[in-house]
């Protein structure tokens, strides 16, 4: 079986940044798997997701469904659903929750094409599945942090992508919201989608198929069983 | 009489319409320095025209529009936010304007380059109306045709890009239209007050509706009402037109603010009945 996400010796740097954010990273994730990226802040975890999304120039090989990202950015993005890191909408954000979720479908239509009503119904059904049906008409900025994360997850799912990239989905959430979101993520994997998530928490570590520890722009794949995050951290950071 | 004031009223309607429409984008992108920077770019362009012996209003429009078109690429190349670039362009273009004026001997204070700063009601001719009509049509057409793309790019650029929308091109086009709109409206209200035409109608709309699409519908109406009200007030009270438009726009904003649902404070007595208790 071919990997759906693949990094081979990838180097990447942010414009104006002081040095490389990735230094020869390796990663292979297969269809239907849940992969986790862990490691200290600034280690390069988010950079890996941004390379897959074509947000950053890179050296080496980065492939999504066998397509080299730098040569097929638009095509690659069609296959990726994305929940960005620490994106919280302020209360005056001029957008309703259902509109934000429906945005995931915009790329499927040309400017002159009308968005069919079925697309909004589809967005509403995904929102409802994640328990946010009642908040569909609410301004996105007036939802709680956990609800906003779920709305972003719904947006990524509505897009119809085969691969979901989640950047710190549990950040700033209370334990109940984290449990809710963890269930939703495991549900996505159960439906056959591939998930790659950046995490700092143990919520879904035991359920993951693969995990990598990222440090100073390099990746180290962990062997199963993964054990506790604190032990991994102590072993790999040498403290 | 009507032959004299008709171009001002038509130009006022068009400037209000395009200013209100594009102002929603300027407000959302927090481009507060745009009005000032483009006003000074137009001033520098007009001064350049006078120095080179070219029509100053044409060079003003071209200079400001070209600078606005370069905002996006400069921001991307330098990694600086657009608002910071505008803050740098503001003194630079002012200095260039004064440099060109110094190089042009015997320039009177009533020259077109300087009247661009405070506007002139009677100076507006049908050529200005046609330029404004062109900008307004292009702006309306762009926002209407790319309504989904514009909306998504203004709500969250990265999410829009990930959804497959060319948000970068959409924003660059909006910067250009904003610059052209400001340059086109300056002859009427003047560079010092063109800011109000961009931000007050959009801010007024934002007081009443949160949804960006509704703001795009409401702000142009407020823009037209404010500008026509200002032009009328200018004739009636013999005020400078920029001042009158600013006063009318502030009046509309205060009215919307007074009606704004955002100001509603929940009635705690209804939600938490019973006598108030202090800490034990």
């Amino acid at each position: 079986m071919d990997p759906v996400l693949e990094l081979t010796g990838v180097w990447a740097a942010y414009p104006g940044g002081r040095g490389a954010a990735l230094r020869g990273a390796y990663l292979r994730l297969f269809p239907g798997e849940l992969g986790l990226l862990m490691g200290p802040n600034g280690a390069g975890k988010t950079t890996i997701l941004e390379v897959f999304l074509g947000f950053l120039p890179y050296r080496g090989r980065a492939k999504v469904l066998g397509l080299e990202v730098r040569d097929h950015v638009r095509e690659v993005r069609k296959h990726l659903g994305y929940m960005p890191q620490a994106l919280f909408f302020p209360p005056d954000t001029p957008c309703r929750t259902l509109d934000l979720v429906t945005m995931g479908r915009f790329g499927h239509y040309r400017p002159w094409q009308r968005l069919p009503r079925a697309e909004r119904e589809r967005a509403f059904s995904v929102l409802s599945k994640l328990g946010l049906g009642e908040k569909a008409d609410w301004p996105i900025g007036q939802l709680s942090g956990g609800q906003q994360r779920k709305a972003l997850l719904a947006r990524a799912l509505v897009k119809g992508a085969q691969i979901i990239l989640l950047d710190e989905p549990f950040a700033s959430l209370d334990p109940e919201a984290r449990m809710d979101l963890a269930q939703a993520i495991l549900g996505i994997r159960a439906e056959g989608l591939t998930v790659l998530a950046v995490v700092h928490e143990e919520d879904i570590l035991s359920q993951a198929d693969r995990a990598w520890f990222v440090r100073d722009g390099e990746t180290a794949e962990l062997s199963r069983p993964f054990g506790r995050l604190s032990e991994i951290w102590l072993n790999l950071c040498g403290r | 009489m009507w032959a004299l004031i008709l171009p001002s009223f038509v130009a006022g309607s068009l400037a209000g319409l395009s200013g209100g429409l594009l102002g929603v984008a300027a407000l959302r992108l927090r481009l507060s320095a745009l009005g000032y920077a483009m006003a000074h770019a137009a001033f520098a362009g007009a001064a350049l025209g006078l120095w080179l012996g070219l029509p100053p209003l044409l060079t003003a429009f071209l200079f400001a529009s070209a600078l606005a078109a370069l905002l996006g690429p400069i921001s991307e190349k330098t990694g600086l936010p657009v608002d910071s670039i505008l803050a740098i362009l503001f003194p630079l273009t002012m200095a260039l304007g004064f440099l060109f004026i110094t190089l042009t001997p015997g320039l009177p204070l009533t020259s077109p380059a300087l009247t661009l700063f405070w506007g002139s009601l009677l100076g507006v001719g049908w050529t200005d109306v046609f330029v404004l009509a062109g900008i307004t049509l292009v702006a309306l057409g762009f926002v209407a045709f790319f309504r989904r793309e514009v909306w998504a790019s203004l709500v969250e650029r990265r999410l829009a890009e990930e959804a497959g929308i060319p948000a970068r091109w959409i924003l660059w086009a909006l910067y250009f239209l904003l610059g052209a709109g400001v340059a086109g409206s300056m002859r009427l209200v003047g560079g010092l007050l063109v800011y109000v035409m961009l931000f007050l109608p959009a801010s007024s709309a934002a007081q009443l509706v949160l949804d960006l699409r509704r703001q795009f519908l409401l702000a142009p109406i407020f823009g037209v009402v404010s500008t026509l009200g200002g032009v009328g007030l200018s004739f009636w009270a013999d005020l400078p037109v920029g001042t009158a438009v600013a006063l009318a726009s502030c009046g509309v904003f205060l009215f919307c603010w007074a009606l704004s649902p955002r100001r509603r404070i929940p009635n705690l007595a209804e939600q938490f009945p019973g006598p108030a208790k202090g800490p034990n």
Side-chain angles (χ1 to χ4, degrees):
Chain A
M1 203 183 327
D2 292 329
V4 287
L5 291 176
E6 188 178 7
L7 293 182
T8 313
V10 166
W11 287 68
Y14 288 93
R18 302 180 68 178
L22 287 184
R23 300 164 177 273
Y26 285 84
L27 178 152
R28 293 179 102 196
L29 190 63
F30 293 86
E33 287 188 335
L34 169 62
L36 301 182
L37 296 166
M38 297 176 290
N41 293 325
K45 305 180 296 295
T46 296
T47 314
I48 290 176
L49 302 190
E50 291 186 337
V51 164
F52 282 129
L53 285 156
F55 288 157
L56 270 184
Y58 63 89
R59 237 176 51 204
R61 285 213 325 261
K63 289 187 175 180
V64 173
L65 294 165
L67 297 169
E68 187 66 50
V69 175
R70 72 166 75 82
D71 302 328
H72 304 90
V73 175
R74 291 197 69 167
E75 182 63 22
V76 158
R77 282 181 187 164
K78 282 184 191 165
H79 299 293
L80 299 173
Y82 172 51
M83 180 200 279
Q85 180 187 13
L87 175 62
F88 289 103
F89 297 95
D92 62 347
T93 306
C95 168
R96 290 186 310 157
T97 305
L98 185 62
D99 292 333
L100 183 89
V101 177
T102 313
M103 192 208 285
R105 300 296 299 167
F106 283 6
H108 295 262
Y109 294 90
R110 297 282 176 198
W112 56 86
Q113 290 177 308
R114 228 182 134 75
L115 196 75
R117 182 175 284 271
E119 293 293 15
R120 293 182 71 77
E121 285 163 6
R122 175 181 178 159
F124 182 77
S125 105
V126 175
L127 257 183
S128 302
K129 219 162 124 185
L130 292 174
L132 281 181
E134 285 179 8
K135 309 274 181 178
D137 278 333
W138 281 45
I140 182 73
Q142 289 176 21
L143 302 190
S144 70
Q147 289 169 335
Q148 287 192 19
R149 305 303 285 166
K150 274 191 182 176
L152 284 168
L153 183 62
R155 185 195 155 281
L157 293 176
V158 155
K159 195 176 167 188
Q162 292 156 264
I163 304 155
I164 308 292
L165 306 178
L166 307 171
D167 200 350
E168 299 198 19
F170 303 111
S172 313
L173 299 187
D174 63 42
E176 194 184 340
R178 276 165 51 178
M179 258 165 38
D180 263 10
L181 197 60
Q183 287 305 318
I185 292 169
L186 295 174
I188 295 167
R189 195 257 307 260
E191 285 176 16
L193 298 182
T194 309
V195 181
L196 180 62
V198 172
V199 291
H200 283 297
E201 302 84 0
E202 296 200 345
D203 302 65
I204 48 176
L205 180 59
S206 61
Q207 309 282 324
D209 300 296
R210 289 169 199 278
W212 291 267
F213 198 83
V214 186
R215 196 178 167 202
D216 295 332
E218 293 175 20
T219 47
E221 185 163 359
L222 306 174
S223 48
R224 288 182 65 92
F226 299 127
R228 295 192 64 80
L229 186 61
S230 51
E231 290 162 12
I232 298 169
W233 204 281
L234 283 171
N235 286 339
L236 288 161
C237 286
R239 284 180 210 158
Chain B
M1 175 70 175
W2 274 107
L4 196 66
I5 62 171
L6 192 61
S8 308
F9 273 97
V10 179
S13 308
L14 292 167
L17 191 65
S18 59
L21 188 77
L22 295 168
V24 176
L27 190 70
R28 180 73 194 145
L29 296 168
R30 302 187 199 287
L31 298 178
S32 51
L34 187 104
Y36 299 122
M38 286 303 117
H40 285 80
F43 164 65
L48 177 68
L50 289 171
W51 181 45
L52 296 175
L54 296 168
L57 293 176
L58 176 71
T59 49
F61 180 75
L62 292 178
F63 198 81
S65 305
L67 220 52
L70 289 173
L71 280 176
I74 293 174
S75 168
E76 194 168 289
K77 284 279 172 208
T78 57
L80 288 169
V82 172
D83 220 28
S84 303
I85 296 167
L86 289 170
I88 297 161
L89 285 179
F90 171 45
L92 176 70
T93 48
M94 187 158 61
L96 279 176
F98 285 119
L99 175 70
F100 296 140
I101 282 180
T102 313
L103 293 170
T104 314
L107 193 68
L109 275 175
T110 51
S111 83
L114 295 177
T115 55
L116 275 178
F117 268 127
W118 37 83
S120 163
L121 193 59
L122 299 178
V124 176
W126 286 110
T127 313
D128 303 291
V129 172
F130 290 134
V131 169
L132 265 172
I135 295 166
T136 308
L137 271 178
V138 173
L140 270 173
F142 182 80
V143 172
F145 188 70
F146 294 107
R147 60 198 178 286
R148 279 196 300 264
E149 290 75 8
V150 167
W151 176 85
S153 306
L154 290 177
V155 167
E156 231 299 311
R157 179 182 170 165
R158 279 232 153 163
L159 289 183
E161 278 177 344
E162 181 267 346
I165 290 165
R168 184 171 73 156
W169 294 105
I170 295 287
L171 293 178
W172 288 9
L174 283 173
Y175 297 149
F176 168 72
L177 285 171
L178 276 161
V182 168
S185 307
M186 278 177 59
R187 185 78 184 273
L188 182 72
V189 288
L192 294 178
L193 287 167
V194 76
Y195 177 88
V196 299
M197 286 186 54
L198 269 187
F199 287 92
L200 282 184
S203 302
S204 304
Q207 292 299 313
L208 297 182
V209 289
L210 191 63
D211 188 275
L212 199 62
R213 278 172 290 214
R214 290 184 187 167
Q215 289 180 24
F216 269 119
L217 292 175
L218 213 49
I221 297 172
F222 290 148
V224 173
V225 169
S226 307
T227 318
L228 283 186
V231 171
L233 182 66
S234 168
F235 271 113
W236 178 69
D238 197 19
L239 288 172
V241 66
T243 311
V245 169
L247 287 173
S249 303
C250 288
V252 170
F253 177 79
L254 284 175
F255 180 73
C256 294
W257 175 78
L259 295 178
S260 174
R262 293 185 190 195
R263 289 180 61 243
R264 274 186 220 139
I265 297 165
N267 188 340
L268 293 179
E270 275 175 19
Q271 290 182 27
F272 304 100
K277 285 182 184 171
N280 291 323

